[in-house]
Amino acid sequence: MTPTEARLRDLLERRILILDGAMGTMIQRYKLDEAAFRGERFADLRQDVKGNNELLSITQPQVIREIHEQYLAAGADIVETNTFGATSIAQSDYRLAHLAREMNLASARLAREACDAYSTPDRPRFVAGALGPQPKTASISPDVNDPGARNVTFDELRTAYREQTEALIEGGADLLLVETIFDTLNAKAALFAIDEVFEAREAQGLPRLPIMISGTVTDASGRILSGQTVEAFWNSVRHARPLTIGLNCALGAALMRPYVEEIALKADTYVCVYPNAGLPNPMSDTGFDETPEVTSSLLAEFAQAGFVNIAGGCCGTTPEHIAAIAKAIDGMAPRKLPQRPPALRLSGLEAFNVDAGSLFVNVGERTNVTGSKAFARMVLAGNYDEALAVARQQVENGAQVIDINMDEAMLDSVAAMSRFLNLIASEPDIARVPIMIDSSK
């Protein structure tokens, strides 16, 4: 454990820490035009870049640092870097993928400078390197006619996130925040890339950094966009041993409450919550409904209920919101970590936990080309609709896990496995249970 992580954990045991608010909302206050986004360096670009907030860390660094300073002055203990969309994948929309590393490095340094200026021995400030969710998803097809299609691969995501992680650490980030997760598979690519970077650092005698993970529940179903429940989401990412798990963005604090409560009960690590300032409202100054008084009172209720260890704001929140949150929860006790008994905690779209009180686990094995001749014939013939029907029937008949095997001499096993798993991901009736990959490859 690094001295920084030890200090963070000590603070989290003693009080609720404050995360900053929205970067985009604050940038909008500056009313920057296309020329301001380009700056002198990119004045001759052929494409428009207004709205590419991450580019401002290069072209308008004084604006970004000033925003950080406003949040620090409002009471933030942790500020996020201006890197939500600073990956080669996201920046390709602006044809600026080649600037991704520079954006992350510049953004981390700006946040570092601001935190160092505001840190005191009694009140240290921390930089969270922000890794956003990406504009492409590895779990959902972009083609309504082909549920097995994908426009990004796990390895493409992993490569982009690795570049981002390395630059954020080099720029001075104290911890890493994988945030606004709407697709757990994208998040797992980020966590995989982070772990690769950490392993390389350990080989050089350098420490790992703490990780924060934050998902976003997109509607009243209590699921993230790729379909997982809150507990299933936690089961999917807990292997990363994050410093915090939590929720941000989306519904606003009032509608997030039941899901915050659930994760506070289920997670055996610290919980971070930073909601939007309510629901979108184009008529308001920030684009969202809630005033600082409303948002802060809702988060204060979360704190009183024992749900949170870190509180802050997402879309529509400003330094005024953060100052109000800091004041409202001042002196309130932080959430105590629950002691959960050991269990095998698995997930499909829904959580599946196996503990000392569980009976036998039913594993459906008919989606196995070596164990079912009928299934093998379907896959060899490319009849994936029929193959999916076999998987669905197993789940309907009580399988709690389905075993998938594509080891067949006449089959391109890698392609068949990839295709079948992608199709299953688009079938909630099947994907709600965990999958057992049974393969010699």
Side-chain angles (χ1 to χ4, degrees):
M1 185 184 300
T2 66
T4 297
E5 181 172 359
R7 196 164 197 183
L8 270 168
R9 289 184 177 276
D10 177 62
L11 288 169
L12 287 165
E13 288 295 318
R14 292 191 281 116
R15 65 181 177 89
I16 297 173
L17 298 186
I18 302 298
L19 186 69
D20 65 359
M23 174 62 71
T25 299
M26 291 299 292
I27 288 173
Q28 288 173 13
R29 283 187 171 184
Y30 285 81
K31 301 187 185 305
L32 302 173
D33 59 13
E34 179 69 29
F37 272 85
R38 290 167 177 255
E40 292 183 10
R41 178 175 165 187
F42 302 107
D44 296 329
L45 281 178
R46 294 182 179 179
Q47 69 272 25
D48 290 344
V49 293
K50 183 179 178 181
N52 187 357
N53 291 344
E54 293 75 20
L55 184 60
L56 295 174
S57 293
I58 299 173
T59 60
Q60 302 292 339
Q62 75 286 353
V63 169
I64 302 305
R65 176 163 175 167
E66 188 174 291
I67 292 170
H68 288 318
E69 290 174 344
Q70 290 179 61
Y71 280 123
L72 290 163
D77 297 292
I78 304 169
V79 296
E80 302 168 63
T81 55
N82 178 37
T83 52
F84 186 85
T87 60
S88 56
I89 292 173
Q91 286 299 316
S92 65
D93 290 346
Y94 292 97
R95 288 179 278 168
L96 295 176
H98 60 287
L99 293 178
R101 174 181 161 76
E102 184 180 353
M103 288 177 181
N104 285 281
L105 196 58
S107 297
R109 286 172 174 166
L110 289 168
R112 177 80 275 148
E113 290 168 5
C115 282
D116 288 347
Y118 274 79
S119 288
T120 66
D122 295 332
R123 186 76 185 275
R125 311 298 179 103
F126 303 92
V127 176
L131 293 84
Q134 303 288 359
K136 296 180 180 181
T137 166
S139 291
I140 302 171
S141 172
D143 183 354
V144 294
N145 298 311
D146 183 2
R150 298 293 184 271
N151 60 4
V152 70
T153 67
F154 184 92
D155 283 336
E156 287 169 344
L157 291 164
R158 163 192 172 192
T159 299
Y161 278 126
R162 177 161 185 159
E163 178 183 50
Q164 184 173 38
T165 299
E166 290 171 340
L168 288 170
I169 294 174
E170 184 180 340
D174 296 304
L175 58 157
L176 299 171
L177 169 58
V178 183
E179 66 163 325
T180 321
I181 297 164
F182 66 84
D183 182 348
T184 311
L185 188 54
N186 282 27
K188 293 179 90 167
L191 295 172
F192 192 94
I194 288 169
D195 197 58
E196 285 186 316
V197 173
F198 285 173
E199 286 183 354
R201 283 174 59 82
E202 286 177 324
Q204 300 171 29
L206 298 171
R208 290 174 173 253
L209 273 63
I211 300 172
M212 299 172 69
I213 300 175
S214 186
T216 183
V217 174
T218 53
D219 57 41
S221 70
R223 296 174 183 263
I224 65 174
L225 185 63
S226 57
Q228 282 195 308
T229 64
V230 167
E231 185 180 6
F233 168 63
W234 167 234
N235 283 4
S236 292
V237 299
R238 65 190 296 274
H239 67 278
R241 298 183 179 181
L243 176 72
T244 70
I245 186 70
L247 299 173
N248 74 289
C249 201
L251 303 174
L255 296 176
M256 283 170 61
R257 192 188 192 285
Y259 317 122
V260 173
E261 180 177 13
E262 182 178 6
I263 208 162
L265 290 172
K266 300 290 175 60
D268 51 359
T269 191
Y270 300 106
V271 167
C272 175
V273 180
Y274 55 114
N276 289 349
L279 297 174
N281 178 2
M283 303 302 291
S284 73
D285 291 338
T286 64
F288 285 80
D289 271 331
E290 291 177 0
T291 63
E293 292 72 26
V294 173
T295 302
S296 61
S297 66
L298 291 167
L299 283 170
E301 193 277 323
F302 286 7
Q304 288 173 336
F307 294 165
V308 296
N309 301 101
I310 299 177
C314 201
C315 304
T317 59
T318 64
E320 292 79 14
H321 287 79
I322 298 307
I325 293 167
K327 181 179 179 181
I329 67 173
D330 185 37
M332 291 187 182
R335 165 183 169 272
K336 296 298 182 185
L337 272 60
Q339 298 297 315
R340 300 198 69 195
L344 174 64
R345 305 188 194 280
L346 306 175
S347 64
L349 297 183
E350 299 172 5
F352 177 56
N353 302 317
V354 184
D355 58 24
S358 300
L359 300 176
F360 289 106
V361 175
N362 296 320
V363 179
E365 291 196 315
R366 298 187 70 84
T367 46
N368 183 327
V369 295
T370 62
S372 169
K373 290 184 179 180
F375 182 74
R377 284 195 297 270
M378 295 172 195
V379 175
L380 284 165
N383 293 328
Y384 283 101
D385 286 344
E386 293 182 22
L388 284 171
V390 172
R392 186 179 296 105
Q393 184 181 47
Q394 289 190 112
V395 176
E396 290 172 351
N397 289 341
Q400 295 159 293
V401 178
I402 54 173
D403 171 285
I404 300 174
N405 181 293
M406 296 291 179
D407 286 353
E408 156 62 52
M410 301 298 291
L411 188 65
D412 182 344
S413 300
V414 173
M417 180 72 83
S418 299
R419 179 70 179 170
F420 193 58
L421 292 177
N422 281 352
L423 289 167
I424 280 180
S426 300
E427 296 285 340
D429 291 345
I430 306 170
R432 66 183 179 85
V433 303
I435 291 167
M436 178 187 294
I437 301 299
D438 177 3
S439 176
S440 61
K441 297 186 171 75

